Amino acid sequence: MNQDLLSGGSSSRRSRGPGGPAVRGNASSTARAPQQAAEEGDEDEHMNRVVEEDEQLQQRPEASQVDDEREQPWAPSESGASNGPQGGEEGEEDVEGPPNEVNGGEKGARWMWPLGEEDEEEEEEEENNNSSSCHQEEEEAEERTEGGEEQGREEEEREEGEEEEEEDEEEMDQDSDDFEHSAESGREEEEEEEGEGEEGLRSPSLRNNVSAPNNNLDSGCTHQSSSNKKMKRKLDHGPEVRSFPSGKKPCKGTEYPSPTGIVPCPATPTTFGHIRTANGQGQQRRRITSIQPPTGLQEWLRTFQSWTGPEKLLALDELIDSCEPTQVKHMMQVIEPQFQRDFISLLPKELALYVLSFLEPKDLLQAAQTCRYWRILAEDNLLWREKCREEGIDEPLPLKKRKIVKPGFTHSPWKSAYIRQHRIDTNWRRGDLKSPKVLKGHDDHVITCLQFCGNRIVSGSDDNTLKVWSAITGKCLRTLVGHTGGVWSSQMRDNIIISGSTDRTLKVWNAETGECIHTLYGHTSTVRCMHLHEKRVVSGSRDATLRVWDIETGQCLHVLMGHVAAVRCVQYDGRRVVSGAYDFMVKVWDPETETCLHTLQGHTNRVYSLQFDGIHVVSGSLDTSIRVWDVETGNCIHTLTGHQSLTSGMELKDNILVSGNADSTVKIWDIKTGQCLQTLQGPHKHQSAVTCLQFNKNFVITSSDDGTVKLWDLKTGEFIRNLVTLESGGSGGVVWRIRASNTKLVCAVGSRNGTEETKLLVLDFDVDMK
């Protein structure tokens, strides 16, 4: 363990004179120059060589910086705290001109120099350098004068970059905050930490995973330069600070000062204090500076060192028992950071992304605030694409244009799509309910059928017409006139609308122009139901027959006869037709041969609703039961009981069935097991029959004769809130139909006694991602 801790030591202790800051070049030149100088034994030549290389570096700052950034996995975070020794870059500008980032967080044996004869020569060379500090300071002053203008330009560029980074940080914080708000655990959000360098450490679950940048502890300096002041400002993050991954060059010299200034430390770290100093954190160890060390402390420490290992452990146990809680907490703050390692940054990128793939999206957003390298990983587009697929998000979101594009960093369109969807869900759950758009046009007639696709709404009414509306503007685009009886069924796909009427016909309309393309004759009574699949529509009628039509040619392709009462509901998947009728029967048909494959018997009253997923048939009846059938064998798999009246509407997705009943309740079922997962009831349940419902992966939306539209949690069955509450609810106001998209809800409302005007309400839950 000591070796692991040793390898995490500071690489910032390079060539430092007693009176000034370190003089650095790039990593290779800094390593090469002291070695050659030591072999030649000429300190002046060594110093001139370092200065000469620094001047060359100033002439090509951009190339150097690009190379460094390419090799450097731990770039500085927006907060100014970095994960390598580059925390002092700002300070070094006073010496070198443009910032140099070569000593920032490089991995592996690159910094692992063995301690041997060459190190001893380097140590002697450093001592010689200390004796010539005055000459060095004069040369540094000249360099500062020459590089002043260039420093100013670099400073401006850095400030612009920091402003852009702060904007990105605010965006990440907003995303993370959104996820924090969506958790309904009642946990309060943490207060935002103020000041530069704090934003990256906000996540409570991740802020302790990395610790503070290395701090240079070289002694012998007679004064502190402005660079050291800047370095101190950048490194001062309080008790919660960051450490480095292993692989850094240990401090040189036969001895370096103890953090307390009492016990000298050997070159090879053997105690925890020596390891902390080797890691560049010794300066932070002695936090209590208001008092002098107590008398006898040095003797006490020497006595402790003279004991054996077991004796030391026994003494520590007794010491801990004698400490107050605040003192134990102090020890934890000193010890814990030494055993924390950022293994993510040490892994190959593919493995690191594999590890991150197990995190929930909210945890990924928090991980992105840890440091710049974690942020790059947490922004991976393929990673967020998988998260989107898990949530059923099919398309990425085009990204907004940014003023500054940082090298090596791209924003994920899939992440943006995920964030947008999360904000939309939050709007549904608890966003402000804005005044809905009100669409009026059917006078006081009943809206019998409702379709919503894209930005187009189609309403059918017993006033013999259909109306096409814009979901964006709320305007009536056109009225489809042609039926001579009330419209009681409809279907829509793209620009095609199909309607069925009491005039015994179906009509095919062009939604864009309002033109009637075909009128389909054949039924001898009201067309009560229909189902459209690709280019074919199957219609069911009160004449007890079903007909299959080609909507492009208007021809009747097949007639399915077998029911002995009105056909009330139909489903068609392109291969099989399933129908339910008032004769208590459910039938499965092969439309190509016009044969009935199965008659599903079991219901004891009229069948009012059907769902069909290609494998299972689910039928709802006035006998209060719901039955699940196998479409291939015709066997009844489950009989779902629990409702007390007519099951008026159902919806089936991925083996989850939601049923609405005239008993004012809604139930959620698993058709695989036949188990009732949830019953949507309680003090906020509907007060009258459920008229319509719709659900997605998160929510169930229900409407009722009581004049309300309610939102429920699909997984828990908990009531969330009312989306619509009519003033006339309870006295005649009714919500007849609802249709919802990802961002909008359309409700057809009215009354049977004139207390509520017939209209459509459109509620918008979309978000602005600007």
Side-chain angles (χ1 to χ4, degrees), residues 522-644:
H523 284 297
T524 58
S525 186
T526 298
V527 179
R528 192 63 184 81
C529 57
M530 65 176 66
H531 195 275
L532 174 66
H533 182 80
E534 295 180 354
K535 298 178 182 179
R536 294 185 178 185
V537 64
V538 180
S539 59
S541 170
R542 287 179 179 169
D543 64 10
T545 67
L546 298 105
R547 289 176 178 264
V548 182
W549 311 83
D550 186 317
I551 61 174
E552 290 187 341
T553 64
Q555 293 182 344
C556 179
L557 303 177
H558 306 286
V559 180
L560 308 178
M561 295 185 291
H563 284 294
V564 294
V567 178
R568 182 63 176 77
C569 46
V570 64
Q571 293 279 294
Y572 176 49
D573 70 346
R575 191 174 74 95
R576 295 283 185 264
V577 173
V578 182
S579 58
Y582 285 174
D583 59 6
F584 310 168
M585 302 296 178
V586 177
K587 289 182 177 289
V588 180
W589 309 81
D590 181 348
E592 299 301 322
T593 62
E594 301 183 0
T595 58
C596 177
L597 301 177
H598 302 290
T599 297
L600 311 180
Q601 301 184 31
H603 285 298
T604 58
N605 212 322
R606 295 177 175 182
V607 178
Y608 273 85
S609 54
L610 275 179
Q611 289 290 293
F612 177 44
D613 63 2
I615 301 174
H616 304 98
V617 175
V618 184
S619 55
S621 169
L622 186 59
D623 65 9
T624 75
S625 72
I626 298 172
R627 290 180 177 263
V628 182
W629 315 81
D630 186 302
V631 72
E632 295 299 329
T633 65
N635 295 330
C636 180
I637 304 173
H638 300 292
T639 299
L640 312 180
T641 59
H643 283 304
Q644 305 300 316

Side-chain angles (χ1 to χ4, degrees), residues 215-388:
N215 210 351
N216 200 318
L217 293 175
D218 289 310
S219 62
C221 295
T222 58
H223 66 277
Q224 185 175 23
S225 67
S226 61
S227 63
N228 286 338
K229 293 178 182 177
K230 292 183 180 180
M231 183 186 298
K232 182 176 181 181
R233 176 179 64 81
K234 293 186 73 174
L235 296 181
D236 188 12
H237 291 286
E240 294 176 345
V241 290
R242 302 182 181 184
S243 64
F244 300 117
S246 59
K248 305 299 184 289
K249 181 181 176 182
C251 300
K252 293 184 274 188
T254 56
E255 284 189 356
Y256 47 85
S258 167
T260 59
I262 296 175
V263 182
C265 303
T268 301
T270 57
T271 68
F272 191 78
H274 302 158
I275 293 170
R276 279 177 52 79
T277 304
N279 286 343
Q281 296 178 351
Q283 180 176 333
Q284 297 164 354
R285 175 177 176 180
R286 185 179 173 188
R287 294 183 174 87
I288 303 174
T289 59
S290 59
I291 62 173
Q292 294 297 321
T295 305
L297 176 61
Q298 186 173 0
E299 184 63 29
W300 181 61
L301 292 174
R302 288 174 181 170
T303 301
F304 181 82
Q305 291 293 342
S306 67
W307 292 339
T308 64
E311 290 173 340
K312 290 180 179 179
L313 293 178
L314 178 61
L316 287 174
D317 285 341
E318 295 296 329
L319 180 61
I320 292 174
D321 289 340
S322 303
C323 289
E324 297 176 359
T326 55
Q327 296 161 351
V328 175
K329 182 178 179 181
H330 173 83
M331 285 189 284
M332 291 176 61
Q333 291 175 342
V334 173
I335 294 171
E336 282 185 343
Q338 299 305 311
F339 296 96
Q340 295 167 347
R341 282 292 177 270
D342 177 16
F343 70 95
I344 290 293
S345 296
L346 300 177
L347 290 174
K349 183 178 180 180
E350 293 76 9
L351 289 179
L353 289 173
Y354 179 73
V355 172
L356 293 179
S357 69
F358 290 94
L359 293 179
E360 294 294 325
K362 63 183 180 64
D363 297 324
L364 274 177
L365 292 173
Q366 291 178 341
Q369 299 181 63
T370 305
C371 65
R372 180 173 295 178
Y373 185 63
W374 280 40
R375 183 181 177 188
I376 292 172
L377 291 176
E379 197 77 18
D380 184 78
N381 204 39
L382 295 180
L383 181 64
W384 281 102
R385 186 181 69 179
E386 292 305 314
K387 298 298 180 185
C388 287

